[in-house]
């Protein structure tokens, strides 16, 4: 998959699809926001945002906002930020993915790495 | 005047009476209930004899009816929050599983009993696979309990202190020990 251009997109945005990902009272972000589900290959992000109440660019039924990430800082963690494959059936020019996060980690070392990354991304 | 009556055996009810709707059965599941005033049958000799009276026959055998004083049992807010999380996730593609819910409930009830009002603010979040993430924060300290959706998957505890981290298999006592030593008493 092609690398996302960090000069053009210095920031990427993670849609907040669960209201419990952000605790308003303590102003803390749950690690759940940066943890992969078993069926994920990477963390879905948007390259630009400008959502309104009527239009959700992330295509979500429920969306509560977005977390802002610095593209180069994400790469500095040893992670990749890549665009969708242009010929993929679900291609979106505004969609990118943070990859190289351990997928379905089994060992404690892999789980720890995944949790460390979730901490760094929060 | 309200008339409560049972369904007559004949199709034609007595003149002037209308058939009412049967009362709904209450399905009591929660162990936490509001205040109640209950008449309870107790055996003769209570409280020196075991409380095991359940039927009218017991009453005929010498049991007495006593009135039990109501007690107010309030569900801890964190348990209410857990139930709310399950409701919120009910309509998603991966609802909270029974395993994840009961394991989390067991941990939170245990923590609530041991720590009571000292239990720090607890963040509950769905993991998107039917499991639950439980988290506590204090400045740069973060304790995470990852409860998976199914029993075949192992629950674990992740602790982060600044840039350092550690991960261990889940146990309730470990969570309490870390809460006490890292989050409550820095």
């Amino acid at each position: 998959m092609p690398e996302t251009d960090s000069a053009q997109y210095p920031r990427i945005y993670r849609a907040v699809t669960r209201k419990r990902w952000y605790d308003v009272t303590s102003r803390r972000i749950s690690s759940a926001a940066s943890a992969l589900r078993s069926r994920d290959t990477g963390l879905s992000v948007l390259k630009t945002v400008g959502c309104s109440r009527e239009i959700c660019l992330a295509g979500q039924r429920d969306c509560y906002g977005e977390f802002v990430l610095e593209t180069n800082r994400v790469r500095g963690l040893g992670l990749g930020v890549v665009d969708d494959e242009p010929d993929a059936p679900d291609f979106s020019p505004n969609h990118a993915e943070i990859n190289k996060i351990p997928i379905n980690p089994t060992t404690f070392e892999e789980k720890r790495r995944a949790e460390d990354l979730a901490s760094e991304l929060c | 005047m309200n008339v409560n009556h049972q369904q007559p055996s004949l199709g034609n009810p007595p003149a002037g009476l209308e058939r009412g709707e049967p009362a709904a059965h209450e399905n009591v599941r929660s162990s936490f209930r509001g205040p109640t005033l209950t008449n309870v049958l107790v055996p003769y000799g209570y409280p020196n004899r075991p409380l095991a009276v359940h039927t009218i026959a017991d009453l005929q055998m010498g049991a007495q009816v006593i009135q039990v004083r109501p007690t107010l049992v309030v569900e801890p807010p964190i348990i209410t929050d857990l139930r709310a999380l399950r409701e919120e996730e009910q309509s998603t593609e991966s609802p909270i599983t029974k395993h994840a819910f009961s394991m989390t409930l067991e941990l939170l009830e245990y923590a609530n009993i041991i720590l009571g009002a000292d239990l720090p603010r607890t963040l509950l979040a769905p993991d998107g696979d039917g499991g639950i993430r439980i988290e506590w924060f204090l400045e740069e300290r973060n304790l995470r309990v990852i409860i998976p959706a199914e029993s075949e998957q192992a629950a674990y505890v992740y602790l982060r202190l600044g840039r350092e981290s550690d991960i261990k298999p889940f146990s309730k006592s470990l969570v309490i020990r870390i809460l006490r030593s890292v989050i409550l008493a820095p």
Side-chain angles (χ1 to χ4, degrees):
Chain A
M1 289 193 276
E3 296 269 315
T4 302
D5 183 355
S6 61
Q8 191 176 357
Y9 304 106
R11 290 177 173 178
I12 48 178
Y13 305 87
R14 172 87 170 139
V16 184
T17 57
R18 297 285 204 286
K19 67 178 177 183
R20 285 175 180 267
W21 283 1
Y22 181 66
D23 183 51
V24 177
T25 305
S26 63
R27 305 177 79 178
R28 296 281 188 174
I29 299 172
S30 167
S31 61
S34 305
L36 291 188
R37 298 169 299 176
S38 58
R39 54 193 176 280
D40 290 336
T41 55
L43 278 187
S44 278
V45 291
L46 297 175
K47 296 193 285 187
T48 58
V49 289
C51 304
S52 64
R53 281 186 177 276
E54 292 74 30
I55 300 170
C56 174
L57 295 180
Q60 300 291 325
R61 191 188 63 179
D62 300 309
C63 187
Y64 301 90
E66 64 266 341
F67 299 125
V68 184
L69 298 162
E70 303 287 337
T71 309
N72 283 335
R73 187 176 161 274
V74 173
R75 291 205 169 115
L77 299 172
L79 301 174
V81 183
V82 292
D83 292 343
D84 285 357
E85 286 287 2
D87 53 353
D90 54 351
F91 169 79
S92 165
N94 193 33
H95 182 259
E97 189 173 275
I98 299 175
N99 61 13
K100 298 184 186 173
I101 298 172
I103 298 169
N104 292 322
T106 50
T107 66
F108 268 140
E109 214 37 57
E110 288 173 333
K111 287 175 182 174
R112 183 176 170 176
R113 167 81 177 144
E115 296 298 336
D116 283 346
L117 289 169
S119 302
E120 295 286 348
L121 289 170
C122 284
Chain B
M1 183 177 73
N2 294 323
V3 179
N4 295 322
H5 66 100
Q6 294 182 323
Q7 182 176 330
S9 55
L10 296 174
N12 299 325
L17 286 182
E18 292 180 357
R19 187 173 296 165
E21 291 297 320
H25 291 282
E26 187 183 5
N27 192 5
V28 179
R29 286 176 179 273
S30 170
S31 57
F32 296 96
R33 303 289 295 166
T36 54
L37 186 64
T38 313
N39 290 325
V40 177
L41 293 174
V42 297
Y44 182 75
Y46 176 83
N48 298 322
R49 294 175 64 184
L51 184 60
V53 178
H54 303 292
T55 66
I56 295 299
D58 290 322
L59 184 63
Q60 292 169 338
M61 295 298 288
Q64 298 172 328
V65 177
I66 65 166
Q67 198 170 63
V68 177
R69 285 181 179 277
T71 53
L72 184 63
V73 180
V74 178
E75 183 172 79
I78 189 58
I79 305 297
T80 307
D81 194 37
L82 174 62
R83 293 186 201 284
L85 168 66
R86 182 172 62 173
E87 287 301 309
E88 288 162 20
E89 290 298 299
Q90 201 60 45
S91 59
T92 64
E93 55 186 353
S94 299
I96 302 297
T97 63
K98 190 175 176 183
H99 168 76
F101 178 82
S102 22
M103 202 168 167
T104 306
L105 179 64
E106 200 176 310
L107 169 65
L108 295 177
E109 285 184 336
Y110 182 75
N112 197 64
I113 288 168
I114 302 291
L115 299 175
D118 289 337
L119 181 66
R121 182 173 179 79
T122 308
L123 271 58
L124 303 176
D127 70 1
D129 280 327
I132 298 174
R133 284 177 168 256
I134 309 161
E135 290 191 83
W136 292 274
F137 291 91
L138 177 70
E139 295 162 0
E140 295 303 305
R141 303 151 198 247
N142 178 205
L143 171 61
R144 257 174 236 170
V145 180
I146 290 85
I147 307 286
E150 303 300 336
S151 58
E152 296 78 32
Q153 304 160 299
Y156 57 92
V157 177
Y158 172 85
L159 176 63
R160 189 168 175 96
L161 304 171
R163 309 281 302 173
E164 302 296 314
S165 65
D166 195 10
I167 191 165
K168 285 189 163 54
F170 168 78
S171 81
K172 287 185 290 187
S173 57
L174 174 66
V175 174
I176 299 300
R177 276 205 307 277
I178 298 175
L179 276 173
R180 278 182 165 153
S181 61
V182 176
I183 305 292
L184 287 171

